Amino acid sequence: MMDLRILLFFVIVPWIFCETARTNKVVPRHKGVLKVVDDEDFISESRVVMEAKKPKKKVILNTDYDSPVDTDDESPEADDKEEKELPTCLMCVCLTGSVYCEEVSPDMTTVPPLPKETAYLYARFNKITKITNKDFADVATLKRIDLSGNLISEIEDGAFSKLDQLEELTLAENKLVKLPMLPAKLVSLNVNHNLLKTKGVKANIFKKLSKLSYLYLGDNGLEAIPPLPESLRVVHLHNNNITSLTDDTFCKGNNTHYIRYNMQEVRLDGNPITLAQHPNSFICLRALPIGHYK
């Protein structure tokens, strides 16, 4: 009887262990501990592992100042377009009511769009070539414009017509051959160092400016002096081609009692004219013009 029990023990026990081995699998766990799992669990975990190893799709980030992205695939044309479309206040310096666009890089060749509240524009030493009627059409608040040191050769006649508050206009060191219509409230006009000749300046262009006090026309090619308003304090006409004066240039020849009280300074030096030959031309002035007398 004892032998039969021993025989059954050695037959049944190994069979039990073999059945367990077929229905369960042992997988390793961290730190050397074994874990017994069912077939379905094992397949499920294997699938998770395989799926985790699949390559991820390429993620394209939106352009952000704080998150730079690789731009190797972008063409130079795209970069140039973005630069041209930059808002004015990224190319220039914008303060409250003032815009500074001096020596802008890349070269600025046109007047940039301006914030509507702009009162003072400084766009000196650029390569602006032309001023159109649209450049200042929506900026009626402008009081001062300085475009010195550009390449401006043309200004459309109505470019400043809507600027009712403009008091100071500086266009020195450009290539102007003709002056456009000027705003009625203009106090100071500087067009020194241009290519102006008398035919490019309309006869009464300054006479109608009742508030004009400072007029700078030096270093041009003027052959004669245009009619000047009574309001003028300073007029610079040096280094032109002026060869003659009349009794009505500054004074009123038929009125010997007339005096220009406002006029403080007249520059005529650097012109091919001898002022001593025209004494009645400045008899009404409080100070003699600066220029050649002998």
Side-chain angles (χ1 to χ4, degrees):
M1 189 66 180
M2 182 62 68
D3 294 338
L4 180 59
R5 291 178 181 178
I6 294 172
L7 178 62
L8 290 174
F9 176 83
F10 283 105
V11 172
I12 294 173
V13 171
W15 179 84
I16 293 173
F17 278 102
C18 289
E19 187 65 18
T20 302
R22 283 195 302 270
T23 58
N24 299 282
K25 288 183 175 56
V26 180
V27 295
R29 298 183 65 187
H30 295 297
K31 298 183 180 180
V33 180
L34 297 180
K35 176 185 177 183
V36 179
V37 296
D38 294 335
D39 281 348
E40 292 181 0
D41 295 338
F42 182 82
I43 294 171
S44 177
E45 291 189 10
S46 299
R47 184 179 296 114
V48 171
V49 173
M50 293 299 292
E51 289 178 355
K53 292 183 178 179
K54 289 181 180 180
K56 294 182 180 179
K57 294 182 179 180
K58 182 179 180 181
V59 178
I60 300 176
L61 299 176
N62 290 328
T63 304
D64 191 320
Y65 292 109
D66 296 325
S67 303
V69 296
D70 189 2
T71 57
D72 290 342
D73 295 337
E74 296 182 1
S75 63
E77 289 78 9
D79 293 338
D80 294 341
K81 184 177 181 180
E82 288 180 1
E83 287 178 353
K84 291 179 181 178
E85 294 178 353
L86 283 174
T88 298
C89 291
L90 289 183
M91 297 186 296
C92 310
V93 176
C94 295
L95 302 176
T96 304
S98 300
V99 177
Y100 298 85
C101 301
E102 301 186 353
E103 297 182 282
V104 174
S105 179
D107 295 334
M108 178 181 288
T109 57
T110 59
V111 175
L114 301 173
K116 290 188 177 181
E117 71 277 7
T118 303
Y120 305 97
L121 170 63
Y122 303 91
R124 298 178 288 196
F125 310 113
N126 291 293
K127 294 187 178 180
I128 299 171
T129 58
K130 181 180 179 180
I131 300 177
T132 70
N133 292 337
K134 297 180 180 180
D135 289 338
F136 303 114
D138 298 325
V139 198
T141 54
L142 277 167
K143 294 182 178 180
R144 180 185 301 162
I145 297 175
D146 191 343
L147 296 169
S148 301
N150 280 276
L151 302 173
I152 301 170
S153 59
E154 181 183 357
I155 300 177
E156 294 183 0
D157 216 26
F160 306 119
S161 61
K162 296 182 179 180
L163 303 182
D164 296 333
Q165 299 183 41
L166 190 67
E167 296 179 350
E168 297 182 36
L169 177 59
T170 302
L171 299 165
E173 299 179 52
N174 279 281
K175 298 182 180 297
L176 289 173
V177 296
K178 178 184 176 182
L179 288 181
M181 294 176 59
L182 299 169
K185 293 184 179 180
L186 204 62
V187 174
S188 176
L189 174 65
N190 187 339
V191 284
N192 283 342
H193 292 278
N194 274 274
L195 303 174
L196 293 171
K197 294 186 177 182
T198 300
K199 64 180 180 180
V201 180
K202 295 179 181 179
N204 292 318
I205 191 171
F206 304 124
K207 195 74 173 179
K208 297 178 180 180
L209 304 180
S210 60
K211 294 187 177 182
L212 188 65
S213 297
Y214 304 93
L215 178 59
Y216 303 98
L217 292 164
D219 292 281
N220 280 281
L222 299 175
E223 299 90 2
I225 300 175
L228 303 173
E230 295 287 330
S231 56
L232 268 186
R233 295 173 177 269
V234 175
V235 56
H236 286 186
L237 294 157
H238 56 284
N239 299 332
N240 278 278
N241 292 321
I242 299 170
T243 57
S244 64
L245 298 174
T246 69
D247 293 350
D248 294 323
T249 300
F250 299 107
C251 306
K252 296 179 180 179
N254 59 353
N255 186 353
T256 57
H257 298 287
Y258 171 73
I259 298 177
R260 270 191 182 262
Y261 288 103
N262 291 329
M263 190 73 77
Q264 299 173 356
E265 180 178 301
V266 177
R267 282 191 62 181
L268 285 166
D269 49 304
N271 284 281
I273 183 175
T274 302
L275 296 179
Q277 296 176 357
H278 307 274
N280 293 332
S281 297
F282 40 84
I283 194 171
C284 65
L285 300 180
R286 301 175 66 183
L288 291 176
I290 299 171
H292 179 65
Y293 282 87
K294 292 183 180 181

